[in-house]
Amino acid sequence: MNSRDQILAAVKKNQPALQPLPALADLQAIRFTHPVEKFTEVLTSIGADVRTGYDLNAIATFIDGNFTEGRRFLGNIPGLPGVGSLDSTVDTHTLEDLEVFVLKAGFGVAENGAVWVTDAQVQERVLPFICQHLVVILDPATIVNNMHEAYERIGNQDYHFGLFIAGPSKTADIEQSLVLGAHGPKTMTLFLNGGI
Amino acid sequence: MGTSTTTHASLSEQFNADEARVNWHDETLWWVRQKRDKAAWTLPEWEELRETASRIKHNTLSNLHQYLLSFEEKALANGCTVHWAANAAEHNEIVLNILRDQKIDQLVKSKSMLTEECHLNEYLAANGIDVTDTDLGERIVQLAKEAPSHIVLPCIHKKKEEIGELFHEHLGTPAGNADPLFLTRAARAHLREKFLTRRVAITGVNFAVAETGEFVVCTNEGNADMGAHLADVHIACMGIEKLIPERKHLGVFLRLLARSATGQPITTYSSHFVKPRPGQQLHIILVDNGRSTQLGREDFRNSLKCIRCGACMNTCPVYRRSGGHSYHTAIAGPIGSILAPNLDMKKYADLPFASTLCGSCSNVCPVKIDIHNQLYQWRQEITRAGYAPAGKAAAMKAMAMGLSKPGWYRLGGKIARRMMRAIPFLFNNRLNAWYKQREMPAPPKETFADWYRKNKNQSNQ
């Protein structure tokens, strides 16, 4: 018997009598009177910069004025000045000088400040990680209360790679001192705008 | 066992040689525990959420055979390659064979307690493979040639000055610089070079979904993603108990994991891997290594619900004061002490005794594993099997005799109280384990029985 069959046989023999799966509908999960405010509060508390009142031009000006170290900006927002889209033939290993990546997230989650992104929105999966600074545009009307609503919204969406992002990459491995910018972006700026 | 240098007690003594460090370790982990409490209290439904998670895992374990088949079928349909490993040795061979097929001798790896359990790094090193751990804490312990001392905070036992010295030696940072921001930036530059040049990435798995064949990896640093998305080959290693039934159940577990682990509302990244990138290979290794046996042990089955958050360690009064390395197993602390004896009851016979049975671990466990009960039950099993430490077994027999015969108990107590007053040296010496690091209490003037007799008479008058 190969290992697969051996493991499956042992599991079948040793697993207890079938226990029912609890219904998630019974769980009274937290809801917020002002989900957008809650989302902003939580995401800010975990190190992101949340901004409102920026249109495309204002976002472009912000990016241009704040991220000056490298000059390579990529994104997938049509009509965002100064930000190119990724050439599909580019080798992702040459992206280490990517200063800013701009993406539009699918929706946000108020309870934890996370935004949902799939490979359809990022072209190359490594882009939101390899950039030095991440810029996210989110429609505030998409913000759900909690993770149960988030997965209801995701449903059986057919993504190849899906991702919740909540703030800049970080670590506290050295004596529990929080440092923003471990391996991924050092900052995350999120613009709440329903018109982009 | 009592005199061996690899028991929890003797290893704890080494850790306790530096009192200031022990105090720092204790306070820091308690601070993490308090952050967990604050995060839990933000959700009125927290207890209900724990109960739901526990029941989902109960269902998973009771239907694991079917869920494994479903996961395999979906993962294959997604274009992944699925491997099955009965034990650690087979797991390691599978990884090595994938590397040999690719003619690759260097790789990046993100955190996976399973690969620690299987001692993959040592095996690959012995076979000429260069492994770079990419989680900052894991990289630090790797450079120090140590094992992680905590499943979430791998180098919590290290002071920043020691890390500064390690980085000076291995990464060429200036001597004497121990600034966490500076050192983290140095590691970022050092590891980016690895991410950009390694063609194989190994990651762990936090949750695998039977319904869809996808799996989720949670990190704060983004190292699992940097590795996996830049590599031609991604190898994901998981224990068979990592399954959950449906995608929507991720909502329950992602709400619990980071809050329980560090007090964060969610980890920075929760990456859902479904299909390999075009041209990429995605291998999933399903590992048993004792799990199917544990599944058949009714008293210990619930330990398989564990989602590796580390909350039981952060709250444990013994772990906080003895350090992760004192457990001499990949997964330290209360949960490790109920998992390890399943793998080798004799080698880990000391671990279930490394507890006060206070129950704090069970109270914080996000999937409601009855950890302290299982510690107690392992003690029974270990003693029955004859693996209990000789001194402890003898003391227990003496205690049983004394406690079951009231006359002996009273006489023994009387003698002990007199001796403690007359010849304190008999008790206050290094042979008495209870005298270590503390003073013995003053012997009471009278026993409770005496006091009760006196006061009972008074109240009756």
Side-chain angles (χ1 to χ4, degrees):
Chain A
M1 205 157 48
N2 63 26
S3 290
R4 175 187 181 274
D5 298 341
Q6 216 176 34
I7 294 167
L8 285 169
V11 166
K12 194 169 192 177
K13 177 170 154 265
N14 287 339
Q15 69 189 19
L18 187 65
Q19 300 293 315
L21 199 51
L24 297 191
D26 297 343
L27 193 73
Q28 296 293 314
I30 196 163
R31 297 176 60 84
F32 305 98
T33 323
H34 303 289
V36 178
E37 280 78 353
K38 186 69 193 176
F39 174 86
T40 304
E41 175 203 320
V42 176
L43 186 53
T44 304
S45 77
I46 53 181
D49 180 7
V50 183
R51 291 170 177 264
T52 51
Y54 285 71
D55 63 8
L56 270 184
N57 284 327
I59 292 171
T61 308
F62 180 91
I63 291 171
D64 192 50
N66 284 273
F67 306 118
T68 51
E69 253 178 61
R71 297 305 299 176
R72 196 170 177 191
F73 302 155
L74 287 174
N76 59 355
I77 317 294
L80 182 60
V83 176
S85 61
L86 186 70
D87 174 355
S88 61
T89 61
V90 80
D91 176 4
T92 52
H93 296 84
T94 65
L95 290 170
E96 77 274 16
D97 64 344
L98 180 62
E99 187 67 8
V100 175
F101 180 64
V102 189
L103 68 87
K104 187 166 180 224
F107 65 87
V109 187
E111 71 161 319
N112 56 24
V115 295
W116 175 249
V117 175
T118 67
D119 48 354
Q121 288 149 322
V122 297
Q123 301 143 293
E124 280 291 343
R125 300 176 188 185
V126 79
L127 283 168
F129 300 95
I130 203 168
C131 60
Q132 300 295 326
H133 303 278
L134 180 67
V135 173
V136 176
I137 296 168
L138 180 74
D139 178 355
T142 64
I143 293 173
V144 299
N145 287 290
N146 56 57
M147 290 297 279
H148 308 297
E149 292 180 11
Y151 279 99
E152 266 171 46
R153 193 178 163 119
I154 293 169
N156 55 5
Q157 192 186 346
D158 185 20
Y159 51 83
H160 296 183
F161 174 72
L163 171 70
F164 281 109
I165 305 176
S169 93
K170 61 177 144 191
T171 182
D173 274 343
I174 301 176
E175 282 197 10
Q176 285 296 292
S177 301
L178 180 66
V179 176
L180 300 184
H183 301 296
K186 297 174 192 165
T187 69
M188 173 178 175
T189 311
L190 183 136
F191 294 98
L192 287 169
N193 184 320
I196 296 172
Chain B
M1 187 178 140
T3 54
S4 158
T5 53
T6 54
T7 63
H8 179 268
S10 59
L11 293 166
S12 305
E13 233 166 282
Q14 291 173 24
F15 185 71
N16 273 269
D18 184 347
E19 193 175 326
R21 178 183 301 241
V22 178
N23 291 343
W24 183 86
H25 190 265
D26 175 21
E27 285 158 19
T28 304
L29 287 162
W30 185 249
W31 176 67
V32 179
R33 151 77 208 255
Q34 287 173 316
K35 288 201 294 180
R36 172 261 174 215
D37 290 346
K38 278 189 201 129
W41 296 336
T42 61
L43 298 182
E45 71 272 27
W46 181 256
E47 291 305 316
E48 208 186 333
L49 199 59
R50 289 175 71 213
E51 181 62 29
T52 306
S54 188
R55 285 168 57 203
I56 293 170
K57 281 284 184 182
H58 207 156
N59 166 271
T60 307
L61 295 176
S62 75
N63 197 25
L64 191 56
H65 179 259
Q66 189 51 48
Y67 288 143
L68 282 166
L69 286 175
S70 164
F71 177 77
E72 180 192 40
E73 185 195 328
K74 296 288 160 45
L76 290 172
N78 290 336
C80 303
T81 309
V82 179
H83 308 261
W84 299 75
N87 51 45
E90 192 176 4
H91 163 264
N92 295 346
E93 278 166 31
I94 291 169
V95 174
L96 185 63
N97 286 337
I98 297 170
L99 297 171
R100 294 236 159 112
D101 279 352
Q102 300 291 317
K103 299 188 173 49
I104 279 171
D105 60 3
Q106 47 186 20
L107 58 87
V108 284
K109 182 166 147 283
S110 68
K111 207 190 283 168
S112 152
M113 292 320 297
L114 176 72
T115 61
E116 293 291 334
E117 176 187 319
C118 296
H119 300 287
L120 177 69
N121 282 15
E122 293 92 316
Y123 172 84
L124 290 180
N127 283 283
I129 309 286
D130 173 57
V131 179
T132 304
D133 278 318
T134 58
D135 173 85
L136 177 59
E138 286 213 319
R139 186 64 182 147
I140 290 166
V141 292
Q142 187 181 34
L143 291 175
K145 297 189 171 54
E146 292 175 12
S149 68
H150 187 293
I151 60 175
V152 175
L153 320 164
C155 69
I156 191 69
H157 61 290
K158 283 233 173 292
K159 300 296 291 174
K160 61 185 179 193
E161 290 77 16
E162 295 168 293
I163 298 166
E165 262 177 56
L166 270 175
F167 278 25
H168 172 59
E169 187 190 332
H170 295 277
L171 311 187
T173 56
N177 194 326
D179 176 56
L181 174 63
F182 177 80
L183 295 177
T184 302
R185 288 285 181 269
R188 176 184 173 96
H190 160 70
L191 289 165
R192 280 217 159 203
E193 188 272 324
K194 309 281 182 197
F195 287 128
L196 289 163
T197 52
R198 300 301 187 257
R199 290 177 47 220
V200 172
I202 295 180
T203 70
V205 168
N206 289 93
F207 307 102
V209 182
E211 175 194 32
T212 59
E214 75 197 293
F215 61 89
V216 174
V217 181
C218 303
T219 75
N220 283 317
E221 298 184 4
N223 57 314
D225 290 274
M226 281 292 279
H229 304 323
L230 287 167
D232 300 336
V233 180
H234 174 186
I235 307 172
C237 306
M238 59 176 276
I240 53 173
E241 85 286 16
K242 290 283 166 235
L243 282 179
I244 57 171
E246 296 166 43
R247 183 184 271 172
K248 69 180 180 197
H249 296 131
L250 286 168
V252 174
F253 292 100
L254 291 180
R255 295 185 84 198
L256 287 164
L257 179 63
R259 286 186 173 99
S260 298
T262 59
Q264 295 171 254
I266 188 168
T267 50
T268 305
Y269 305 110
S270 310
S271 300
H272 301 48
F273 292 86
V274 188
K275 296 180 183 179
R277 298 194 320 273
Q280 190 200 30
Q281 287 182 27
L282 179 43
H283 296 264
I284 301 169
I285 310 180
L286 293 163
V287 184
D288 183 342
N289 203 34
R291 288 162 176 77
S292 61
T293 309
Q294 189 88 319
L295 186 64
R297 290 181 153 137
E298 198 182 341
D299 289 343
F300 305 114
R301 175 182 297 145
N302 278 342
S303 62
L304 295 171
K305 293 179 177 179
C306 175
I307 60 172
R308 305 288 190 268
C309 70
C312 60
M313 303 175 188
N314 304 339
T315 200
C316 178
V318 175
Y319 175 89
R320 283 188 277 119
R321 293 171 181 84
S322 65
H325 289 155
S326 65
Y327 292 80
H328 59 92
T329 173
I331 298 173
I335 184 68
S337 301
I338 60 175
L339 291 171
N342 177 56
L343 289 172
D344 187 338
M345 205 197 292
K346 191 175 175 191
K347 187 175 173 192
Y348 300 116
D350 55 326
L351 295 187
F353 295 92
S355 164
T356 63
L357 301 183
C358 71
S360 185
C361 46
S362 305
N363 287 332
V364 296
C365 177
V367 288
K368 296 182 94 167
I369 301 170
D370 54 336
I371 304 174
H372 71 297
N373 282 333
Q374 294 193 34
L375 286 165
Y376 174 71
Q377 277 157 332
W378 270 120
R379 293 181 183 188
Q380 321 290 307
E381 293 275 324
I382 285 162
T383 306
R384 260 197 296 276
Y387 297 137
K392 194 154 274 177
M396 284 296 153
K397 280 201 181 111
M399 287 286 281
M401 201 185 282
L403 293 175
S404 61
K405 296 190 170 61
W408 286 38
Y409 175 78
R410 278 195 294 273
L411 181 66
K414 194 175 277 178
I415 293 170
R417 280 190 301 282
R418 285 207 183 139
M419 302 274 263
M420 275 178 94
R421 271 191 288 268
I423 330 172
F425 169 71
L426 271 185
F427 297 86
N428 300 348
N429 65 61
R430 62 187 181 85
L431 294 174
N432 177 6
W434 286 341
Y435 185 63
K436 282 177 194 166
Q437 282 103 27
R438 53 171 111 64
E439 297 294 320
M440 292 298 285
K445 289 190 187 68
E446 58 183 354
T447 65
F448 173 74
D450 294 338
W451 177 90
Y452 180 72
R453 216 173 291 126
K454 212 161 63 191
N455 286 279
K456 187 179 157 210
N457 292 341
Q458 273 174 6
S459 63
N460 283 349
Q461 281 162 8

